[in-house]
Amino acid sequence: MQTIAQAFETFFPRLELTDAERRNASNQHIYLRERLQQGLPVQDNFLTGSYARKTAVKPLNDIDVFLVLRPTNALNTTTSPERVLAEVKRVLEAIYDGKTARRQARSVNIEFSGTGIGYDVVPAFSTDNDTYTIPDAQASTWISTNPRIHAEMSTTANEQAGKKLKPLLKAVKQANNRCEEPARSFHLEVLAWKVLTCDPGTYIDGLVILLD
């Protein structure tokens, strides 16, 4: 019979994507981003969210693509959030003929049956103070964010926790998924950054600290 410590060692790898899943996801998001650059005035684009921060768990439901647009007369921060999201939706449906993209409050989602992965494309505009503005159609306004800082904070917190935070976060997220996601994934991450601020020693002790 396995000890609890041994059970953790066999459990964590099961949360990771396989090489084939990573390869398929990589090919798909690279193609998507290249085509978006052809259809929209793109200044920059990069991956965000748990997939980019390496805290995503199986099954991989979505990958966030942060699409920084170059302001034009038709698309800028004086344009309504609904109008910008509608344009992203139009371009996605033109890229993938026959597919229907779904407009959300701050992004446009498109799903693929082959890999089972959906992509949330978040349009954004760069500002002068190293932040970005993204649309919030629900509130009919633009809000500030900086996913690059989130990525840096995630990496720093993991280093401070002896590189045990990200594996433990995946375990907590898996439990959250099993309970029909009562907590948002990103909120769990932000809370964890402030809770596990040093190496807990063992994974068991770290999990107890996080859950407590």
Side-chain angles (χ1 to χ4, degrees):
M1 179 180 292
Q2 284 187 325
T3 65
I4 294 177
Q6 290 170 333
F8 267 91
E9 294 298 331
T10 57
F11 170 65
F12 286 136
R14 295 177 187 172
L15 302 178
E16 301 293 338
L17 300 177
T18 65
D19 289 341
E21 288 170 329
R22 290 186 186 280
R23 196 160 47 246
N24 289 336
S26 178
N27 291 339
Q28 205 166 53
H29 77 67
I30 288 172
Y31 175 79
L32 170 62
R33 292 159 66 193
E34 287 176 347
R35 291 298 306 275
L36 283 170
Q37 289 188 105
Q38 296 168 13
L40 287 164
V42 177
Q43 178 178 310
D44 190 13
N45 75 87
F46 50 91
L47 299 181
T48 62
S50 58
Y51 178 80
R53 292 191 297 272
K54 295 181 172 55
T55 56
V57 297
K58 297 172 63 175
L60 181 60
N61 295 321
D62 60 73
I63 293 176
D64 298 325
V65 176
F66 204 75
L67 197 67
V68 184
L69 301 174
R70 186 177 67 256
T72 65
N73 290 334
L75 298 175
N76 55 68
T77 51
T78 65
T79 310
S80 71
E82 294 85 355
R83 168 82 177 81
V84 174
L85 290 167
E87 180 62 8
V88 174
K89 181 178 186 296
R90 183 193 68 78
V91 171
L92 281 172
E93 291 176 345
I95 294 171
Y96 299 100
D97 187 32
K99 280 196 171 293
T100 300
R102 181 167 51 92
R103 201 186 77 179
Q104 302 177 134
R106 300 175 184 176
S107 63
V108 180
N109 176 270
I110 188 163
E111 296 182 354
F112 298 92
S113 56
T115 58
I117 301 173
Y119 290 82
D120 286 337
V121 180
V122 183
F125 292 98
S126 180
T127 67
D128 293 333
N129 56 352
D130 294 328
T131 61
Y132 302 92
T133 55
I134 62 173
D136 187 336
Q138 205 165 28
S140 294
T141 190
W142 292 83
I143 59 176
S144 296
T145 187
N146 193 333
R148 293 191 191 277
I149 289 180
H150 300 156
E152 290 172 7
M153 292 176 71
S154 176
T155 298
T156 299
N158 189 52
E159 292 291 334
Q160 290 176 342
K163 297 186 177 179
K164 294 185 175 73
L165 179 57
K166 290 189 178 184
L168 287 169
L169 258 174
K170 292 177 183 179
V172 172
K173 286 186 177 186
Q174 180 74 353
N176 187 54
N177 293 344
R178 291 295 183 94
C179 296
E180 300 182 353
E181 299 183 334
R184 293 191 58 135
S185 173
F186 182 64
H187 292 165
L188 289 174
E189 289 202 40
V190 173
L191 287 170
W193 299 342
K194 299 178 180 179
V195 172
L196 207 62
T197 56
C198 62
D199 191 332
T202 68
Y203 284 118
I204 298 170
D205 290 336
L207 186 61
V208 169
I209 292 169
L210 279 180
L211 294 179
D212 188 52

